[in-house]
Amino acid sequence: MNASLNPALDGDAADAGQTGMRARLAGTNINEETFLATDYLNHFNEIIMLLEMVPDMPECLDDCKEWRPKSYIEHFRDSGFSDKELAVAAYEQAPASYREPFDTTVESMNRLVALGIEWIDAALAAGNRAAAAHEATRASRALQKLVDVASAIIHGSAAALEQDEIDALLTG
């Protein structure tokens, strides 16, 4: 029977592919269970660092505005990560139980960065440097919480934030 017509066979093929991928991931910095790598989080650590600088140097907001979201695949394709091609291939085969909450968390991080920059920009436009500092701190701390969630998923935790918890981070 053709595997595309038999979901059970398709699942077996996926399991076999994941088993083969696990063997390829042994000894790398890519998690053998989740098929994800923490190196991707460096992209978000960069913007966290910039946001943390804004209270003392509001002009750093310009650097924050230049930061752009990158997908997991874009990050690795642009990186010097030694196993970048393997990281991309592994991500494409990552078990949905990890990849879906990871992708949702990444989407929330990207939204939070954009909102944080808006909050800071509005406070600075109003001439309120103290409010801008507060918003920068709030955004960087909330973003760090989401990075911690993404890291936990990468390391095999099934725990992810519920939508109301994400909304609370995004609305303050």
Side-chain angles (χ1 to χ4, degrees):
M1 177 178 269
N2 183 336
S4 65
L5 299 176
N6 186 334
L9 291 179
D10 287 342
D12 292 343
D15 290 344
Q18 287 183 345
T19 299
M21 181 56 75
R22 281 186 181 86
R24 292 177 60 197
L25 298 178
T28 69
N29 288 332
I30 304 168
N31 187 288
E32 293 176 43
E33 179 183 350
T34 66
F35 297 13
L36 301 169
T38 57
D39 185 82
Y40 176 63
L41 300 179
N42 290 338
H43 180 60
F44 292 96
N45 290 332
E46 175 188 338
I47 188 65
I48 289 170
M49 183 178 63
L50 289 170
L51 288 167
E52 289 173 344
M53 294 169 64
V54 169
D56 295 322
M57 297 181 290
E59 64 275 11
C60 286
L61 182 60
D62 292 335
D63 293 326
C64 293
K65 289 178 179 180
E66 290 178 14
W67 183 91
R68 295 289 177 259
K70 279 189 178 184
S71 72
Y72 189 92
I73 291 173
E74 289 169 333
H75 169 77
F76 282 104
R77 290 219 167 110
D78 293 346
S79 80
F81 188 68
S82 60
D83 291 313
K84 67 183 184 178
E85 294 303 322
L86 182 58
V88 169
Y91 173 79
E92 291 172 342
Q93 292 184 34
S97 59
Y98 297 110
R99 184 172 166 179
E100 290 173 4
F102 177 78
D103 287 345
T104 299
T105 302
V106 168
E107 288 172 19
S108 296
M109 290 189 292
N110 287 328
R111 280 196 339 253
L112 181 58
V113 170
L115 284 171
I117 290 170
E118 285 179 26
W119 298 334
I120 298 163
D121 205 25
L124 288 175
N128 191 338
R129 188 171 167 166
H134 170 77
E135 296 299 352
T137 300
R138 179 169 71 126
S140 67
R141 287 182 182 165
L143 187 56
Q144 184 60 59
K145 286 179 184 178
L146 288 172
V147 167
D148 292 345
V149 169
S151 179
I153 295 167
I154 289 168
H155 290 295
S157 173
L161 292 180
E162 297 295 326
Q163 188 60 48
D164 60 336
E165 294 171 299
I166 293 170
D167 292 344
L169 288 174
L170 297 174
T171 59

